[in-house]
Amino acid sequence: MHRSAAALDGEMNLVAGAFSSSPEKSREQGDNLHLDPDRVYDTYEEMADAEAERPDGIDVVSIVTPNFLHHDVARTFIDRGFHVICDKPMTTTLEDAEDLCRRVDEQDVVFCLTHNYAGYPLVKQARALVEQGRLGALRKIVVEYPQGWLNRRLEAEGNKQASWRTDPDKAGAGALGDIGTHAEHLARYVTGLSLERMCADVGTVVEGRPVDDDASILARYEGGVRGLIHVSQISAGEENNLRLRVYGTEAGLDWRQEDPHRLTLLTDINGEAPQQIYSHGRASLADSVQPFVRTPQGHPEGFIEAFANLYRSAAHAIAAHEAGVEPEPWARDFPTVQDGAAGVHFIETALESSEQEAWVDASYTPPRT
Amino acid sequence: MHRSAAALDGEMNLVAGAFSSSPEKSREQGDNLHLDPDRVYDTYEEMADAEAERPDGIDVVSIVTPNFLHHDVARTFIDRGFHVICDKPMTTTLEDAEDLCRRVDEQDVVFCLTHNYAGYPLVKQARALVEQGRLGALRKIVVEYPQGWLNRRLEAEGNKQASWRTDPDKAGAGALGDIGTHAEHLARYVTGLSLERMCADVGTVVEGRPVDDDASILARYEGGVRGLIHVSQISAGEENNLRLRVYGTEAGLDWRQEDPHRLTLLTDINGEAPQQIYSHGRASLADSVQPFVRTPQGHPEGFIEAFANLYRSAAHAIAAHEAGVEPEPWARDFPTVQDGAAGVHFIETALESSEQEAWVDASYTPPRT
Amino acid sequence: MHRSAAALDGEMNLVAGAFSSSPEKSREQGDNLHLDPDRVYDTYEEMADAEAERPDGIDVVSIVTPNFLHHDVARTFIDRGFHVICDKPMTTTLEDAEDLCRRVDEQDVVFCLTHNYAGYPLVKQARALVEQGRLGALRKIVVEYPQGWLNRRLEAEGNKQASWRTDPDKAGAGALGDIGTHAEHLARYVTGLSLERMCADVGTVVEGRPVDDDASILARYEGGVRGLIHVSQISAGEENNLRLRVYGTEAGLDWRQEDPHRLTLLTDINGEAPQQIYSHGRASLADSVQPFVRTPQGHPEGFIEAFANLYRSAAHAIAAHEAGVEPEPWARDFPTVQDGAAGVHFIETALESSEQEAWVDASYTPPRT
Amino acid sequence: MHRSAAALDGEMNLVAGAFSSSPEKSREQGDNLHLDPDRVYDTYEEMADAEAERPDGIDVVSIVTPNFLHHDVARTFIDRGFHVICDKPMTTTLEDAEDLCRRVDEQDVVFCLTHNYAGYPLVKQARALVEQGRLGALRKIVVEYPQGWLNRRLEAEGNKQASWRTDPDKAGAGALGDIGTHAEHLARYVTGLSLERMCADVGTVVEGRPVDDDASILARYEGGVRGLIHVSQISAGEENNLRLRVYGTEAGLDWRQEDPHRLTLLTDINGEAPQQIYSHGRASLADSVQPFVRTPQGHPEGFIEAFANLYRSAAHAIAAHEAGVEPEPWARDFPTVQDGAAGVHFIETALESSEQEAWVDASYTPPRT
């Protein structure tokens, strides 16, 4: 997925890699990708060292390992001055997350966390509507993310994705990390609001699974905005049903990832305006959204294109950084290392609240040097 | 609405009434309805007495007053042996609710509470799918009911509906009573499961409003089934978006009141079956659902018809009761006085949990003599 | 359906009838309906004579027989000065249709033809948008009506509805009459435009069926507006999928009977406005539509309520007629005897065009005295 | 779009090109794409000659010029033994189309026509359902393709796409060529049926436009299957609403390009099965469809991915051809030069039928050597 996303716009080339913990498999994969064998490495440490030496070394590395490796790999590359694109959740502990925040600042590199749902044009339109004040003062946020694929113990049936994602040593948290952080980020990205308090109900539904697979969270955002977050991987029959609703004094909005090219503006039912459907590729999208649209109206873009929007912005941000100039606004529009730390803090806070069966403080400010 | 619902199937006639706290208005309304002026009363007490005397007196009374009057009116008619159809929430205190439970039992009358959403054929199909085991063992229930009509203080602008519904003296609770009880009943009706524990976050968003207008509730149902209930009357732009999702080990289901003639069976995404859409009027509906369908496939029935389904079942139950025979199964399919008590208990428990900011016991067994 | 529609608003009472060609069955049905046995008749002629004699005789008769009887029954009642509500298609020959036009004029009675789809509030909103010029000058009309219920020879399996509807002696035409006239009327009602030319492709798909069950028609409306009409009763799996789309220089609109409480305004994709969804019960509906709405936003009304809207308008028109006053505008909003003649002309023209495999003149002006 | 589609799967590299009729612009574009300047050409003839000489010459050329150039460019490359990927409509005359058919056969090259909608996985699922007999014997095909973007004379406002697409010298036909051929191909691809007869109503709605912008066609397919094709570029507010419905004796199907990741199986309404929704990425898709799916369930793929599916199949077909082996079945699944000829024949036949206002023979067999 990362490879397709990077390839789509032709702004990045894959030229080197360490593709597996098995050196053999790494080389095999390098072959499949027609890479120069000299640049296919046995370990990421070796890769970081060697590429740092090369005059034509890589500019940026993509980290798509299981979660428990993110911190070490990211640190290794950041410390050698490479820019980083990293999958979420950023790390498995808050300590590691904050460590990355500090290193990114110290090394002055670009760090992009792939909360890819923030790459959808209609999500950016939602954010634009909030910023334009079309919703009035915000009052309530409902974000949900039901999936059903872990409805049974796939991890016991040899499913590779299921295996590491439900292994606490490799994944850290379960549903909270895998999809909860997406939900938390999406709400924060669109509304600009951070969590202040929460009361979580995190649990494991499928017997024998050592990580959480279902979570519901009562929340309070900055300014007292009421919130509700619920995510699940055991909701039988649900595919990837991430949805965000935001309500303000004047209007609401509703976006669903499974129909990502539309956004509903829920106009006040006591008013004269009928409901409005924003759709992909039309002139009605905000100017700030237009750079993220590749196809004309009615030609759906999907998951890969949203992912590619992050890659393209990061590529431009990196190029601007290298050139010592300010990137254009759209090229600064991707999740950062601070977003990553906020995500890890969210996971830890939810687990703590659930264990205590109590409301807890959820406010957080990531470290900046 | 009650009048249309009662009229639709021609099984009840409106022949008497006390239509207003103002005798004048009551008489005017009686005129409009072409009623015999002798049977238009100044007060419900007068009506109960007079109709009890008449050889051709009414069989059943519909109580559609503001909530705070339900108990007194119901008691008055029950005690004279009349059957009762009563709007929800049943009463404003649990004590009153339990009092009605006992009186209904003692007087052996039929009591129907108008949780009208339970009248939709596709809701009954949802219940049938659960009963048939099509979902497997239940694991999670999500019921939500966002509205936006009270997004501003309509009650301060002379809106009559808003005025009494946000007046604690007339309505008791706010959103919890007005729509929360519908949500709670719908989930219980479809799944057959009662609440065991809850942690509620009930609040008032619109300044100056003396009752709750937004509530989110973490829940645990019988057998440890996880639950989430959220209702709101300040979700700008939402119309009447009651929705129920239930997930089991084998499949899930999804029903939305704004498209009431369809029901989605969310088949296991790891399985071979595509998703299934049940729709109104087709042979694929369960036998138990068929008596509630009036129109052929593709001819939508709506809110009034669902309401009328309660009235029709109650009418048949009353006729059977009078005849001393067992009603057919479909004629027993309406919410009872015990459902009403459970609803009032739900309101009180949610308010208590929210005030304590804590999980509380939510189990309840209504009194039966 | 007619009985429910008439009952819903309590403005008509069923007091007399001839319910079957079998006197016995007629009496049985009268009993079921708790009618005075003196007013349950063996034949419609007897009924017309007797009711004309009674001081408390009926005001209006509903004709819901198979099509071939409409003309005789209608004539019988019109000639005695009764108002008439008649099912569609109005007659099985144009000669009969025009005969009714003349009699209605001569007897000065109210005649309502039950093209019930014109009773939906959102259809009336579509008409209001056209009248307000929101679409600009009209350019194209697409109306379709696929059903699948006659996908096999139900008429050979004892299905009563299928039997008479596919019997040319009882129904006249097949799909063209049963649903084609609805489609033609809906387009004309919303746009105000009549057909000028057509080229039809009418056929019978199910072997052994003596009437048409599928028809597609190229059309030209007044002013050169391009049109397409297609109806089918053999489109497997379709329920009752009547849909109208109208396109103008400025915008388009889209309405579907299976989701009748919504209407999409397709705003110009080169413009700034997102698409608009009008929905039932909101303030955004035109003033002319509001009288046809019974329930608040988000409480769906359906097929029976649309039907009831015709009955209610006719009831008011009749009352106004009896009182010698002008009915309010909404009470004049129902299909007339002239609409019925236009429908029968449409059937005959489509059959003729299809037989000739050629474009033919489709213009028509019903007779008025 | 072609570039993104080719890049997505990393199976083709863009290494050479003639990018404009202006040599300067061509070189500029070559620069933007970081191409070797030696392989950026002033004309396609020069490119064909030079690449044919190079030992590392291109394998395949993509032709994405305005339609009137397709034939010359294609011929030039085919004759030098290059494989060709060509946009539709293939040529502006049937003579040219048949010329290409013969040359492709003679030179034994791979030729892929980019009817990209055939690349959607759910379109392929539709085809699989037909092949599996799930619809029974086919009876009716309805394909429609309304757009609204040419609702006004954009071509007079400097819109580049509109300018050449409405210029008969550059485009040939208007809507018929631009989108009508997509519609015709989609129906043929899914059903396997060719047209036999048609009666077309082709016209120009926007004044001053020298090509057709709206067309409706009555059709008869092989075996007497009834058909209806309508396409439009003046349907205000429509985006890119290609839709295909197919009805058989047992079931129907319904697919819409604007929600391309779902497909409805319209089960017989007289039967027991509810409607079925096939969706992207689930195990319920046919084995033949699986190779065309890149993302898991609920992660929408869109227009570019469908396009990329053609490119990927063509790439594999070319590789197999070069290796002298049979490509896998999925790598043969793309539109051919014969499909292109059928499309051009369709355009010419529709124009002829419309001019004659008559049914005409529409059968066609492309030449094969």
Side-chain angles (χ1 to χ4, degrees), chain A residues 1 4 7-9 34 117 120 145 147 149 237 239-240 256-262 279-280 282 294-305, chain D residues 1 4 7-10 117 120 145 147 149 237 239-240 256-262 279-280 282 294-305:
Chain A
M1 209 64 69
S4 294
L8 191 68
D9 299 302
H34 311 294
Y117 299 111
Y120 277 115
Y145 198 159
Q147 294 182 330
W149 72 291
E239 300 188 346
N240 194 45
R256 287 202 328 114
Q257 193 274 150
E258 294 188 2
D259 280 308
H261 42 297
R262 298 194 190 91
S279 60
H280 182 89
R282 288 179 66 135
R294 285 171 192 78
T295 57
Q297 66 280 340
H299 298 68
E301 292 192 81
F303 182 82
I304 295 175
E305 289 85 347
Chain D
M1 208 64 68
S4 295
L8 191 66
D9 298 302
Y117 299 112
Y120 277 115
Y145 198 160
Q147 293 182 331
W149 72 292
E239 301 187 345
N240 194 45
R256 288 200 331 111
Q257 193 275 150
E258 294 188 1
D259 281 308
H261 41 296
R262 296 194 190 91
S279 59
H280 182 90
R282 287 177 67 134
R294 284 171 192 78
T295 57
Q297 65 282 340
H299 298 67
E301 292 192 81
F303 182 81
I304 294 175
E305 288 84 347

Side-chain angles (χ1 to χ4, degrees), chain D residues 175-209:
Chain D
L176 272 179
D178 199 25
I179 59 176
T181 51
H182 276 313
E184 188 276 331
H185 178 264
L186 182 67
R188 188 155 41 84
Y189 176 73
V190 168
T191 65
L193 298 179
S194 295
L195 287 165
E196 289 208 328
R197 298 180 72 220
M198 69 160 72
C199 178
D201 179 18
V202 183
T204 302
V205 169
V206 172
E207 225 171 314
R209 178 169 288 160

Side-chain angles (χ1 to χ4, degrees), chain B residues 1 4 7-8 117 149 237 239-240 257-262 279 282 294-295 297-300 302-305, chain C residues 1 4 7-8 117 120 149 237 239-240 257-262 279 282 295 297-300 302-305:
Chain B
M1 209 66 67
S4 293
L8 191 67
Y117 300 110
W149 72 292
E239 301 186 344
N240 194 46
Q257 193 275 149
E258 294 187 3
D259 282 308
H261 41 298
R262 298 194 190 91
S279 59
R282 288 177 66 135
R294 285 172 192 79
T295 57
Q297 66 281 342
H299 298 68
F303 182 82
I304 295 174
E305 288 85 346
Chain C
M1 209 65 67
S4 294
L8 191 67
Y117 300 110
Y120 277 115
W149 72 292
E239 300 188 345
N240 194 45
Q257 195 275 149
E258 293 187 2
D259 281 308
H261 42 297
R262 298 195 189 90
S279 59
R282 287 177 67 133
T295 57
Q297 65 280 341
H299 298 67
F303 182 83
I304 294 174
E305 288 84 347

